[in-house]
Amino acid sequence: MVKEIERAGIPVVHVCTVTPISLTVGANRIVPAIAIPHPLGNPNATPEEEKKIRRKLVETALKALETEVTEQTVFPVK
């Protein structure tokens, strides 16, 4: 589905926990998530830590959307 949306001219970021699968299906912009049961956070973290984790993921995804890519690219969360 990611590839079809991009073919329509809409950039897409695939936030995923298993990046090799995203590479296999052909996603162009890939942001690695945290863990399979909790891709966008850590339920054991404090609310403040959780907010930082989610903010970094969203900021990375937004940067990926702004970036022109010509091949599959993994954007590491820093």
Side-chain angles (χ1 to χ4, degrees):
M1 183 133 128
V2 172
K3 289 169 61 173
E4 291 302 317
I5 295 171
E6 289 223 350
R7 265 192 211 121
I10 302 168
V12 175
V13 175
H14 195 218
V15 178
C16 65
T17 55
V18 185
T19 55
I21 292 174
S22 293
L23 292 166
T24 301
V25 299
N28 286 326
R29 294 172 186 85
I30 303 165
V31 173
I34 305 301
I36 290 173
H38 306 286
L40 299 177
N42 178 351
N44 298 319
T46 66
E48 295 80 22
E49 292 170 329
E50 184 76 12
K51 185 175 180 179
K52 287 179 187 177
I53 292 168
R54 291 180 182 187
R55 184 172 194 90
K56 285 181 185 180
L57 283 164
V58 170
E59 287 174 347
T60 302
L62 288 172
K63 181 176 177 138
L65 279 175
E66 296 174 342
T67 304
E68 195 69 37
V69 297
T70 56
E71 59 187 32
Q72 291 180 299
T73 307
V74 177
F75 293 83
V77 179
K78 297 177 184 177

Coordinates of all heavy atoms in Angstrom, one line a residue:
M1 N 0.8 -1.2 0.0 CA 0.0 0.0 0.0 C 0.9 1.3 0.0 O 0.5 2.2 -0.6 CB -0.9 0.0 1.2 CG -1.8 1.2 1.2 SD -3.5 0.6 1.6 CE -3.9 1.7 2.9
V2 N 2.0 1.2 0.7 CA 2.9 2.4 0.7 C 3.3 2.8 -0.7 O 3.3 3.9 -1.0 CB 4.1 2.0 1.6 CG1 5.2 3.1 1.5 CG2 3.7 1.8 3.1
K3 N 3.7 1.8 -1.5 CA 4.2 2.1 -2.8 C 3.1 2.7 -3.7 O 3.3 3.6 -4.5 CB 4.7 0.8 -3.5 CG 6.0 0.3 -2.9 CD 6.4 -1.0 -3.3 CE 6.6 -1.2 -4.7 NZ 7.2 -2.5 -5.1
E4 N 1.8 2.2 -3.5 CA 0.7 2.8 -4.3 C 0.4 4.2 -3.9 O 0.1 5.0 -4.8 CB -0.5 1.9 -4.1 CG -0.4 0.5 -4.7 CD -0.1 0.6 -6.2 OE1 -0.7 1.4 -7.0 OE2 0.8 -0.2 -6.7
I5 N 0.5 4.5 -2.7 CA 0.3 5.9 -2.2 C 1.4 6.8 -2.8 O 1.1 7.9 -3.3 CB 0.2 6.0 -0.7 CG1 -1.0 5.3 -0.2 CG2 0.2 7.5 -0.2 CD1 -1.1 5.1 1.3
E6 N 2.6 6.4 -2.8 CA 3.7 7.2 -3.3 C 3.6 7.3 -4.8 O 3.9 8.4 -5.4 CB 5.0 6.5 -2.9 CG 5.3 6.7 -1.5 CD 6.8 7.1 -1.2 OE1 7.6 7.1 -2.1 OE2 7.0 7.4 0.0
R7 N 3.1 6.3 -5.5 CA 2.8 6.4 -7.0 C 1.9 7.5 -7.3 O 1.9 8.1 -8.3 CB 2.3 5.1 -7.5 CG 3.4 4.3 -8.1 CD 2.9 3.1 -8.9 NE 3.9 2.0 -8.7 CZ 3.7 0.9 -8.2 NH1 2.5 0.5 -7.9 NH2 4.7 0.0 -8.0
A8 N 0.9 7.8 -6.3 CA -0.1 8.8 -6.5 C 0.5 10.2 -6.2 O -0.1 11.2 -6.3 CB -1.3 8.6 -5.6
G9 N 1.8 10.3 -5.8 CA 2.5 11.5 -5.6 C 2.5 12.0 -4.1 O 2.8 13.1 -3.8
I10 N 2.0 11.1 -3.2 CA 2.0 11.5 -1.8 C 3.1 10.8 -1.1 O 3.2 9.6 -1.1 CB 0.6 11.1 -1.2 CG1 -0.5 11.7 -2.0 CG2 0.6 11.4 0.3 CD1 -1.9 11.2 -1.6
P11 N 4.1 11.5 -0.5 CA 5.2 10.9 0.2 C 4.6 10.2 1.5 O 3.7 10.7 2.1 CB 6.1 12.0 0.6 CG 5.3 13.3 0.5 CD 4.2 13.0 -0.5
V12 N 5.2 9.0 1.7 CA 4.8 8.2 2.9 C 6.0 7.8 3.7 O 7.1 7.5 3.1 CB 4.1 6.9 2.3 CG1 3.8 6.0 3.5 CG2 2.9 7.3 1.6
V13 N 5.9 7.7 5.0 CA 6.9 7.2 5.9 C 6.3 5.9 6.5 O 5.2 5.9 7.0 CB 7.3 8.2 7.0 CG1 8.2 7.6 8.0 CG2 7.8 9.5 6.4
H14 N 7.1 4.9 6.4 CA 6.7 3.6 7.0 C 7.4 3.5 8.4 O 8.6 3.3 8.4 CB 7.1 2.5 6.1 CG 6.4 1.2 6.4 ND1 7.0 0.0 6.3 CD2 5.2 0.9 6.9 CE1 6.2 -1.0 6.7 NE2 5.1 -0.4 7.0
V15 N 6.7 3.7 9.5 CA 7.3 3.5 10.8 C 7.0 2.0 11.2 O 5.9 1.5 11.2 CB 6.6 4.4 11.8 CG1 7.1 4.2 13.2 CG2 6.7 5.9 11.4
C16 N 8.1 1.3 11.4 CA 8.0 -0.1 11.6 C 9.0 -0.7 12.6 O 10.0 -0.1 12.9 CB 8.2 -0.8 10.2 SG 9.9 -0.6 9.6
T17 N 8.7 -1.8 13.1 CA 9.5 -2.5 14.1 C 10.5 -3.4 13.5 O 11.5 -3.7 14.1 CB 8.7 -3.2 15.2 OG1 7.8 -4.1 14.5 CG2 7.9 -2.2 16.0
V18 N 10.2 -3.9 12.3 CA 11.1 -4.9 11.6 C 11.4 -4.3 10.2 O 10.7 -4.5 9.3 CB 10.4 -6.3 11.5 CG1 11.3 -7.3 10.9 CG2 9.8 -6.8 12.8
T19 N 12.5 -3.5 10.2 CA 12.9 -2.8 9.0 C 13.2 -3.8 7.8 O 12.9 -3.3 6.7 CB 14.1 -1.9 9.2 OG1 15.2 -2.7 9.8 CG2 13.8 -0.8 10.2
P20 N 13.7 -5.0 8.0 CA 13.9 -5.8 6.8 C 12.6 -6.1 6.0 O 12.6 -6.2 4.8 CB 14.5 -7.1 7.3 CG 15.2 -6.7 8.6 CD 14.3 -5.6 9.1
I21 N 11.5 -6.2 6.8 CA 10.2 -6.4 6.1 C 9.8 -5.1 5.3 O 9.4 -5.3 4.1 CB 9.1 -6.7 7.1 CG1 9.3 -8.1 7.7 CG2 7.7 -6.7 6.4 CD1 8.4 -8.5 8.9
S22 N 10.0 -4.0 5.8 CA 9.8 -2.7 5.1 C 10.6 -2.6 3.8 O 10.1 -2.2 2.8 CB 10.0 -1.5 6.0 OG 9.1 -1.5 7.0
L23 N 11.9 -3.1 3.9 CA 12.7 -3.1 2.8 C 12.2 -4.1 1.7 O 12.3 -3.8 0.5 CB 14.2 -3.4 3.2 CG 14.9 -2.3 4.0 CD1 16.1 -2.9 4.7 CD2 15.2 -1.1 3.2
T24 N 11.8 -5.2 2.2 CA 11.3 -6.2 1.3 C 10.0 -5.8 0.5 O 9.9 -6.0 -0.7 CB 11.0 -7.5 2.0 OG1 12.2 -8.0 2.7 CG2 10.4 -8.6 1.1
V25 N 9.1 -5.0 1.2 CA 7.9 -4.6 0.5 C 8.1 -3.4 -0.3 O 7.2 -2.9 -1.0 CB 6.7 -4.4 1.5 CG1 6.4 -5.7 2.2 CG2 7.0 -3.3 2.5
G26 N 9.3 -2.7 -0.2 CA 9.6 -1.6 -1.1 C 9.3 -0.2 -0.5 O 9.2 0.7 -1.3
A27 N 9.1 -0.1 0.8 CA 8.9 1.2 1.3 C 10.1 2.1 1.1 O 11.3 1.7 1.2 CB 8.7 1.2 2.8
N28 N 9.9 3.4 0.7 CA 11.0 4.3 0.4 C 11.6 5.0 1.6 O 12.8 5.2 1.7 CB 10.6 5.3 -0.7 CG 10.5 4.7 -2.0 OD1 11.2 3.8 -2.4 ND2 9.5 5.2 -2.8
R29 N 10.7 5.4 2.5 CA 11.2 6.1 3.7 C 10.8 5.3 4.9 O 9.6 5.1 5.2 CB 10.5 7.5 3.8 CG 10.9 8.4 2.7 CD 10.0 9.7 2.8 NE 10.3 10.6 1.7 CZ 9.7 10.5 0.5 NH1 8.8 9.5 0.3 NH2 10.0 11.3 -0.5
I30 N 11.8 4.8 5.6 CA 11.6 3.9 6.7 C 12.1 4.5 8.0 O 13.3 4.9 8.1 CB 12.2 2.5 6.5 CG1 11.7 1.9 5.1 CG2 12.0 1.6 7.6 CD1 12.5 0.8 4.6
V31 N 11.3 4.5 9.1 CA 11.7 4.9 10.4 C 11.5 3.7 11.4 O 10.4 3.2 11.5 CB 10.9 6.1 10.9 CG1 11.2 6.5 12.3 CG2 11.1 7.3 10.0
P32 N 12.6 3.3 11.9 CA 12.5 2.1 12.9 C 11.8 2.5 14.1 O 12.0 3.6 14.7 CB 14.0 1.8 13.2 CG 14.8 2.5 12.2 CD 14.0 3.7 11.7
A33 N 10.8 1.7 14.5 CA 10.1 1.9 15.8 C 10.8 1.2 16.9 O 11.8 0.6 16.8 CB 8.7 1.4 15.6
I34 N 10.1 1.3 18.1 CA 10.7 0.8 19.3 C 10.7 -0.7 19.5 O 11.8 -1.3 19.5 CB 10.0 1.4 20.5 CG1 10.0 3.0 20.4 CG2 10.7 1.0 21.9 CD1 11.3 3.6 20.4
A35 N 9.5 -1.3 19.5 CA 9.5 -2.8 19.8 C 8.1 -3.3 19.2 O 7.2 -2.5 19.1 CB 9.5 -3.1 21.3
I36 N 8.1 -4.5 18.9 CA 6.9 -5.1 18.2 C 5.6 -4.9 19.0 O 4.6 -4.4 18.5 CB 7.1 -6.6 17.9 CG1 8.1 -6.7 16.7 CG2 5.8 -7.3 17.5 CD1 8.5 -8.1 16.4
P37 N 5.6 -5.2 20.3 CA 4.3 -5.0 21.0 C 4.0 -3.5 21.3 O 2.8 -3.2 21.5 CB 4.5 -5.7 22.4 CG 6.0 -5.8 22.6 CD 6.6 -5.8 21.2
H38 N 5.0 -2.6 21.3 CA 4.8 -1.2 21.5 C 5.6 -0.4 20.6 O 6.7 0.2 21.0 CB 5.1 -0.9 23.0 CG 4.4 -1.7 24.0 ND1 3.1 -1.6 24.3 CD2 4.9 -2.8 24.7 CE1 2.8 -2.5 25.2 NE2 3.8 -3.2 25.4
P39 N 5.2 -0.3 19.3 CA 6.1 0.4 18.3 C 6.3 1.8 18.6 O 7.4 2.3 18.2 CB 5.3 0.2 17.0 CG 3.9 -0.1 17.4 CD 4.0 -0.8 18.7
L40 N 5.4 2.5 19.2 CA 5.6 4.0 19.3 C 5.9 4.4 20.8 O 5.6 5.6 21.1 CB 4.4 4.7 18.8 CG 4.2 4.5 17.3 CD1 2.9 5.2 16.8 CD2 5.4 4.9 16.5
G41 N 6.4 3.5 21.6 CA 6.7 3.9 23.0 C 7.1 2.8 23.8 O 7.3 1.7 23.4
N42 N 7.2 3.1 25.1 CA 7.6 2.1 26.1 C 6.7 2.2 27.3 O 6.7 3.2 28.0 CB 9.0 2.4 26.5 CG 9.5 1.4 27.6 OD1 8.8 0.6 28.1 ND2 10.8 1.5 27.8
P43 N 5.8 1.3 27.5 CA 4.8 1.4 28.6 C 5.5 1.4 30.0 O 4.9 1.8 31.0 CB 4.0 0.1 28.5 CG 4.8 -0.8 27.7 CD 5.7 0.0 26.8
N44 N 6.8 1.0 30.1 CA 7.5 1.1 31.4 C 8.2 2.4 31.6 O 8.7 2.6 32.7 CB 8.5 0.0 31.5 CG 7.8 -1.4 31.4 OD1 6.8 -1.6 32.0 ND2 8.4 -2.3 30.7
A45 N 8.1 3.3 30.7 CA 8.8 4.6 30.8 C 7.9 5.6 31.6 O 6.7 5.4 31.6 CB 9.1 5.2 29.4
T46 N 8.5 6.6 32.2 CA 7.8 7.6 32.8 C 7.0 8.4 31.7 O 7.4 8.4 30.6 CB 8.7 8.5 33.6 OG1 9.5 9.3 32.7 CG2 9.5 7.8 34.6
P47 N 6.0 9.2 32.1 CA 5.3 10.0 31.1 C 6.3 11.0 30.4 O 6.1 11.2 29.2 CB 4.3 10.7 31.9 CG 4.0 9.8 33.1 CD 5.3 9.2 33.4
E48 N 7.2 11.5 31.1 CA 8.2 12.4 30.5 C 9.1 11.7 29.5 O 9.3 12.2 28.4 CB 9.1 13.1 31.6 CG 8.3 14.0 32.5 CD 7.6 13.2 33.6 OE1 7.9 12.1 34.0 OE2 6.6 13.8 34.2
E49 N 9.6 10.5 29.9 CA 10.4 9.7 28.9 C 9.6 9.3 27.7 O 10.1 9.3 26.6 CB 10.9 8.5 29.6 CG 12.0 8.8 30.7 CD 12.3 7.5 31.5 OE1 11.4 6.7 31.7 OE2 13.5 7.5 32.0
E50 N 8.4 8.9 27.9 CA 7.5 8.5 26.9 C 7.3 9.6 25.9 O 7.3 9.4 24.6 CB 6.1 8.0 27.4 CG 5.2 7.5 26.5 CD 5.5 6.1 26.0 OE1 6.3 5.4 26.6 OE2 4.9 5.7 25.0
K51 N 7.1 10.8 26.4 CA 6.9 12.0 25.5 C 8.1 12.2 24.6 O 8.0 12.5 23.4 CB 6.5 13.2 26.3 CG 6.2 14.4 25.5 CD 5.8 15.6 26.4 CE 5.5 16.8 25.5 NZ 5.0 17.9 26.3
K52 N 9.3 12.1 25.2 CA 10.5 12.3 24.5 C 10.7 11.2 23.4 O 11.1 11.6 22.3 CB 11.7 12.2 25.4 CG 11.9 13.4 26.3 CD 13.1 13.3 27.3 CE 13.2 14.4 28.2 NZ 14.3 14.2 29.2
I53 N 10.4 10.0 23.7 CA 10.5 8.9 22.7 C 9.6 9.2 21.6 O 10.0 9.1 20.4 CB 10.1 7.5 23.4 CG1 11.1 7.1 24.4 CG2 9.9 6.5 22.3 CD1 10.7 5.9 25.3
R54 N 8.3 9.5 21.8 CA 7.3 9.7 20.8 C 7.7 11.0 20.0 O 7.5 11.0 18.7 CB 5.9 9.9 21.4 CG 5.4 8.6 21.9 CD 4.1 8.7 22.5 NE 3.6 7.4 23.0 CZ 2.4 7.1 23.5 NH1 1.5 8.1 23.4 NH2 2.2 6.0 24.0
R55 N 8.2 12.0 20.6 CA 8.6 13.2 19.9 C 9.7 12.9 18.9 O 9.7 13.4 17.8 CB 9.0 14.3 20.9 CG 9.3 15.6 20.2 CD 9.5 16.7 21.2 NE 9.5 18.0 20.6 CZ 8.4 18.8 20.4 NH1 7.2 18.3 20.8 NH2 8.4 19.9 19.8
K56 N 10.7 12.2 19.4 CA 11.8 11.8 18.5 C 11.3 11.0 17.3 O 11.8 11.3 16.1 CB 12.9 11.0 19.2 CG 13.7 11.8 20.2 CD 14.8 11.0 20.8 CE 15.5 11.8 21.9 NZ 16.5 10.9 22.5
L57 N 10.4 10.1 17.5 CA 9.9 9.3 16.4 C 9.1 10.2 15.4 O 9.3 10.1 14.2 CB 9.0 8.2 16.9 CG 9.6 7.0 17.5 CD1 8.6 6.2 18.3 CD2 10.2 6.1 16.4
V58 N 8.3 11.1 15.9 CA 7.5 12.0 15.0 C 8.4 13.0 14.3 O 8.3 13.2 13.1 CB 6.4 12.7 15.8 CG1 5.8 13.8 14.9 CG2 5.4 11.8 16.3
E59 N 9.4 13.5 15.0 CA 10.4 14.4 14.3 C 11.1 13.7 13.2 O 11.4 14.3 12.1 CB 11.3 15.1 15.3 CG 10.6 16.1 16.2 CD 11.5 16.6 17.3 OE1 12.6 16.0 17.6 OE2 11.1 17.6 18.0
T60 N 11.6 12.5 13.5 CA 12.3 11.7 12.5 C 11.4 11.5 11.3 O 11.8 11.6 10.1 CB 12.8 10.4 13.1 OG1 13.6 10.7 14.2 CG2 13.6 9.6 12.0
A61 N 10.1 11.1 11.5 CA 9.2 10.8 10.4 C 8.9 12.1 9.6 O 8.9 12.0 8.4 CB 7.9 10.3 11.0
L62 N 8.8 13.2 10.3 CA 8.6 14.5 9.5 C 9.8 14.8 8.7 O 9.7 15.3 7.5 CB 8.3 15.6 10.5 CG 6.9 15.5 11.1 CD1 6.7 16.6 12.2 CD2 5.8 15.7 10.1
K63 N 11.0 14.6 9.2 CA 12.2 14.9 8.5 C 12.3 13.9 7.2 O 12.7 14.4 6.1 CB 13.5 14.7 9.3 CG 14.7 14.9 8.6 CD 16.0 14.8 9.5 CE 17.2 15.0 8.6 NZ 18.2 15.9 9.2
A64 N 11.9 12.7 7.4 CA 11.8 11.8 6.3 C 10.9 12.2 5.2 O 11.2 12.1 4.0 CB 11.5 10.4 6.8
L65 N 9.7 12.8 5.6 CA 8.8 13.3 4.6 C 9.3 14.4 3.8 O 9.0 14.6 2.7 CB 7.5 13.7 5.3 CG 6.5 12.6 5.7 CD1 5.3 13.2 6.5 CD2 6.0 11.9 4.5
E66 N 10.1 15.2 4.5 CA 10.7 16.4 3.8 C 11.9 16.0 2.9 O 12.3 16.9 2.0 CB 11.2 17.4 4.8 CG 10.2 18.0 5.7 CD 10.8 18.9 6.8 OE1 12.0 18.7 7.1 OE2 10.0 19.6 7.4
T67 N 12.4 14.9 3.1 CA 13.6 14.5 2.3 C 13.2 13.8 1.0 O 12.5 12.9 1.0 CB 14.5 13.5 3.2 OG1 14.7 14.1 4.4 CG2 15.7 13.1 2.5
E68 N 13.8 14.3 -0.1 CA 13.7 13.7 -1.4 C 14.5 12.4 -1.4 O 15.7 12.5 -1.1 CB 14.1 14.7 -2.5 CG 13.6 14.3 -3.8 CD 12.1 14.4 -4.0 OE1 11.5 15.3 -3.5 OE2 11.6 13.5 -4.7
V69 N 13.9 11.3 -1.8 CA 14.7 10.0 -1.8 C 14.6 9.5 -3.2 O 13.6 9.6 -3.9 CB 14.2 9.0 -0.8 CG1 14.5 9.5 0.6 CG2 12.8 8.7 -1.0
T70 N 15.7 8.8 -3.7 CA 15.7 8.1 -4.9 C 15.8 6.6 -4.8 O 15.6 5.9 -5.7 CB 16.9 8.6 -5.8 OG1 18.1 8.4 -5.1 CG2 16.7 10.1 -6.1
E71 N 16.0 6.2 -3.5 CA 16.1 4.7 -3.2 C 15.6 4.5 -1.8 O 15.4 5.5 -1.1 CB 17.5 4.2 -3.4 CG 18.5 4.9 -2.5 CD 19.9 4.5 -2.8 OE1 20.2 4.2 -4.0 OE2 20.7 4.5 -1.9
Q72 N 15.4 3.3 -1.4 CA 15.0 3.0 -0.1 C 15.9 3.6 1.0 O 17.2 3.4 0.8 CB 14.8 1.5 0.2 CG 13.7 0.9 -0.6 CD 13.6 -0.5 -0.4 OE1 14.5 -1.3 -0.7 NE2 12.4 -1.0 0.2
T73 N 15.4 4.3 1.9 CA 16.2 5.0 2.9 C 15.7 4.7 4.3 O 14.5 4.9 4.6 CB 16.3 6.5 2.7 OG1 16.7 6.7 1.3 CG2 17.3 7.2 3.6
V74 N 16.6 4.3 5.2 CA 16.2 4.1 6.6 C 16.7 5.4 7.4 O 17.8 5.7 7.3 CB 16.8 2.8 7.2 CG1 16.5 2.7 8.7 CG2 16.4 1.6 6.5
F75 N 15.7 6.0 8.1 CA 16.1 7.2 8.9 C 16.2 6.8 10.3 O 15.1 6.6 11.0 CB 15.0 8.3 8.7 CG 14.9 8.8 7.3 CD1 14.2 8.1 6.3 CD2 15.5 10.0 7.0 CE1 14.1 8.6 5.0 CE2 15.5 10.5 5.7 CZ 14.8 9.8 4.7
P76 N 17.4 6.7 10.9 CA 17.5 6.3 12.3 C 17.0 7.4 13.2 O 17.1 8.6 13.0 CB 19.0 6.1 12.4 CG 19.6 6.9 11.3 CD 18.6 7.0 10.2
V77 N 16.4 6.9 14.3 CA 15.9 7.8 15.3 C 17.0 8.2 16.2 O 17.7 7.3 16.8 CB 14.7 7.2 16.1 CG1 14.2 8.1 17.2 CG2 13.6 6.8 15.2
K78 N 17.4 9.4 16.4 CA 18.5 9.8 17.2 C 18.1 10.5 18.5 O 17.1 11.1 18.6 CB 19.4 10.8 16.4 CG 20.0 10.2 15.2 CD 20.8 11.1 14.4 CE 21.2 10.5 13.1 NZ 22.0 11.4 12.3

